[in-house]
Amino acid sequence: MAQAWDKIHDIFAGKTGDNIQIRGWIHRTRSSGKLIFLQVRDATGIIQVTIEKGNIPDTEFQAAKKALIESSVALKGKTIKDKRAPGGWEIHPESFTVINYADIFPITEQHSTEVLLDHRHLWLRSQQLTQIMKIKSSLLQIIREWFAQHNFFETTPSVITTNAAEGGATAFTFKYFDQKAFLSQTAQMYLEALIFSLERVWCLTPSFRAEKSRTRRHLIEYSHLEAEEAWLDNNQNIALQEDLVSYVCQKISATCASSLKALGSNPLNLQKITPPFPKITYKEAILRLQKKGFDATWGDDFGVLHEKALTEDEEKPLFITHFPQEIKAFYMELSPDGKTVECSDMLAPQGYGEIIGGSQRSEDISSMKIRLKKQGAKLENYEWFFDLRRFGSIPHSGFGMGIERLLCWITQQEHIRDMTPFPRLVRRAYP
Ligand code: 4AD
Ligand code: MG
């Protein structure tokens, strides 16, 4: 049987010897006379490789010298302890094969954001994006674990829909044979239908928002994690979100410590994210903003600057509850005051913005119809949804979390576009 390929992180963890073989890509290369210094990368790490003329067949030495960065290579040799090398080890090969000679790599770290986005398919190989994608993978795994522990069923609602639940203004429309359809903004309405048989459901689907906002927090397409639960009121819904976010922060700080540190995020800060989170009402938030010098009045929605001002001094996420019904979606339960709704926004600390929106759902068909009409929605498209209130309606609540927003805060990065491999932005759908 052929010898299995070694992984770079296993070498750093102690799997060393005279008979090591790895394959990967040239990350850096430099040569001087009889020596070639390479850094070779695989999915698990980067290791230094030093090739000395005379230690390998001359054709292989010449091949290694000619190979540019991002060439794919395979090599076999022995590990040597070297304090100066990243990871503490380097490899001295006795054989070296170039699998594909790369062209001149078109990007360097110094390039502009636009150039990096044009070459996103290649820039995904950067260390920054590699670490982010690794943390994102762990994040999704941890979230799945949490839902399983809480006896939620994972479901798969469609992203093609005839309902623009979050308002027609930000919905993408397209021709679905001979009718008009939308790309989903939320799976919420479908999850609501599923609770009558499953009670606790969740899903992870792409959501689409045709928002012309070019901010550090907006994607046109994002990974939307949504949950819906029967018999749950707004306060219980808030407690559930608090539990999920705390669990994720604890787990990710333990499992991804080195990737987080590489990105400049301190895992110790994530360990401090434990319940309870601070909670204020919308009314209190407006007062806070006024005290901070904002010209904010009842009925204003919060923008980036407001959210930043509200959370800049917070260590934990902040809940804002009971927004005026006029600035929230049609499906939220009216509060007893008749003015606000039973909802919450969870804002990440340090101005990272809203990571979760949640609410108790209205059971009152006529109130929902009035609000939908104000938005100019076609009521007949919502008849199926009103059926859910006609056949065994119950109190229920749910929430939606933007995975890239959460990840951006956890990794302490500048811009949400780097939280997804191929960001869809107002002026970009390529590559
Ligand atoms: O607050 P939103 O619009 O709420 C809903 O869609 C509800 N129907 C969810 C539910 O109750 N099932 O969106 C939920 C979350 C936001 O808190 C934010 O984290 C994220 O989705 N989000 C975006 N993320 C990236 N780019 C955008 N353009 C986003 N718009 C919303
Ligand atoms: Mg929201």
Side-chain angles (χ1 to χ4, degrees):
M1 206 177 76
Q3 186 192 336
W5 295 96
D6 297 301
K7 286 290 160 196
I8 291 170
H9 71 169
D10 292 333
I11 297 174
F12 295 150
K15 190 177 184 298
T16 54
D18 292 343
N19 201 16
I20 293 294
Q21 59 176 24
I22 62 165
R23 55 184 172 179
W25 295 266
I26 298 181
H27 187 65
R28 301 256 188 280
T29 174
R30 171 170 77 81
S31 62
S32 83
K34 290 181 175 158
L35 290 171
I36 306 169
F37 302 101
L38 302 176
Q39 284 186 15
V40 174
R41 180 188 77 233
D42 71 10
T44 69
I46 298 174
I47 195 163
Q48 189 164 299
V49 174
T50 304
I51 307 174
E52 197 177 340
K53 199 174 163 79
N55 280 358
I56 62 169
D58 206 47
T59 49
E60 293 181 19
F61 184 84
Q62 295 309 333
K65 201 164 185 174
K66 206 174 89 182
L68 303 177
I69 60 162
E70 296 308 327
S71 297
S72 44
V73 298
L75 59 100
K76 194 170 176 169
K78 59 179 176 217
T79 49
I80 305 282
K81 214 176 189 129
D82 181 352
K83 273 203 209 113
R84 291 159 305 171
W89 289 92
E90 65 169 10
I91 303 180
H92 289 192
E94 65 198 30
S95 84
F96 190 93
T97 315
V98 177
I99 292 161
N100 173 270
Y101 285 99
D103 288 354
I104 295 173
F105 203 56
I107 40 178
T108 64
E109 311 248 352
Q110 279 77 44
H111 272 108
S112 70
T113 303
E114 284 309 304
V115 172
L116 295 182
L117 284 170
D118 285 341
H119 293 92
R120 189 69 168 193
H121 50 297
L122 298 176
W123 191 236
L124 287 172
R125 304 175 189 198
S126 68
Q127 283 308 292
Q128 182 205 9
L129 293 183
T130 304
Q131 300 305 344
I132 292 169
M133 294 311 138
K134 284 183 179 175
I135 297 172
K136 192 174 194 181
S137 170
S138 297
L139 185 69
L140 295 174
Q141 201 178 325
I142 292 165
I143 285 168
R144 279 218 158 73
E145 207 173 271
W146 184 89
F147 277 115
Q149 283 169 12
H150 288 76
N151 298 315
F152 276 81
F153 291 98
E154 182 170 1
T155 63
T156 59
S158 176
V159 294
I160 298 175
T161 176
T162 48
N163 303 107
E166 302 300 323
T170 60
F172 279 103
T173 55
F174 70 102
K175 207 168 154 285
Y176 185 72
F177 303 105
D178 51 7
Q179 29 170 331
K180 175 177 143 183
F182 301 108
L183 290 178
S184 173
Q185 300 168 306
T186 171
Q188 179 191 322
M189 294 170 71
Y190 296 134
L191 290 185
E192 284 190 59
L194 283 158
I195 59 163
F196 292 88
S197 52
L198 301 172
E199 297 195 23
R200 294 176 149 199
V201 291
W202 75 281
C203 67
L204 178 66
T205 55
S207 274
F208 302 85
R209 302 284 169 106
E211 286 173 291
K212 287 254 163 79
S213 12
R214 283 201 292 269
T215 75
R216 290 158 192 267
R217 316 186 325 209
H218 285 89
L219 290 168
I220 301 303
E221 177 184 351
Y222 68 97
S223 310
H224 202 172
L225 177 111
E226 294 177 271
E228 196 71 25
E229 183 172 337
W231 317 107
L232 197 74
D233 69 19
N234 194 43
N235 287 329
Q236 294 167 314
N237 192 29
I238 286 172
L240 202 66
Q241 296 162 42
E242 220 169 43
D243 194 79
L244 168 64
V245 171
S246 305
Y247 182 83
V248 165
C249 290
Q250 302 303 310
K251 277 271 171 158
I252 208 97
S253 69
T255 55
C256 296
S258 68
S259 293
L260 287 165
K261 282 184 202 153
L263 292 167
S265 168
N266 185 352
L268 294 177
N269 291 341
L270 293 173
Q271 280 171 24
K272 293 183 199 145
I273 311 298
T274 50
F277 298 172
K279 298 169 189 81
I280 57 172
T281 61
Y282 170 87
K283 199 171 155 189
E284 287 165 330
I286 291 285
L287 289 174
R288 269 199 201 183
L289 287 170
Q290 288 169 348
K291 275 198 196 129
K292 289 196 173 226
F294 281 85
D295 172 27
T297 47
W298 180 268
D300 290 350
D301 210 350
F302 299 143
V304 177
L305 292 177
H306 300 106
E307 290 184 354
K308 187 156 187 272
L310 289 167
T311 59
E312 60 196 353
D313 305 323
E314 301 288 344
E315 280 196 342
K316 292 183 189 182
L318 170 73
F319 278 106
I320 302 179
T321 67
H322 299 93
F323 283 72
Q325 58 150 308
E326 297 76 31
I327 58 171
K328 286 292 181 190
F330 78 95
Y331 51 72
M332 295 186 181
E333 170 82 348
L334 284 175
S335 305
D337 66 11
K339 290 196 317 200
T340 62
V341 280
E342 293 297 303
C343 72
S344 59
D345 279 4
M346 188 199 285
L347 310 188
Q350 305 141 346
Y352 276 94
E354 180 196 325
I355 45 180
I356 300 187
S359 64
Q360 187 167 334
R361 316 310 191 185
S362 173
E363 294 178 62
D364 179 351
I365 298 175
S366 57
S367 142
M368 288 194 278
K369 280 189 175 169
I370 293 167
R371 287 185 271 172
L372 274 172
K373 261 194 205 142
K374 274 192 197 148
Q375 291 173 16
K378 270 195 179 164
L379 291 189
E380 60 269 31
N381 285 339
Y382 292 78
E383 271 310 311
W384 71 267
F385 185 67
F386 299 141
D387 269 353
L388 306 178
R389 277 66 180 163
R390 295 183 185 115
F391 296 91
S393 184
I394 44 149
H396 63 287
S397 301
F399 62 87
M401 175 161 88
I403 292 291
E404 289 80 10
R405 291 254 182 106
L406 176 72
L407 187 64
C408 202
W409 165 54
I410 284 178
T411 58
Q412 298 280 299
Q413 298 298 287
E414 280 273 297
H415 203 296
I416 196 167
R417 64 173 170 246
D418 291 328
M419 302 305 116
T420 190
F422 296 99
R424 296 295 172 247
L425 306 168
V426 175
R427 273 189 286 192
R428 178 171 295 275
Y430 173 94

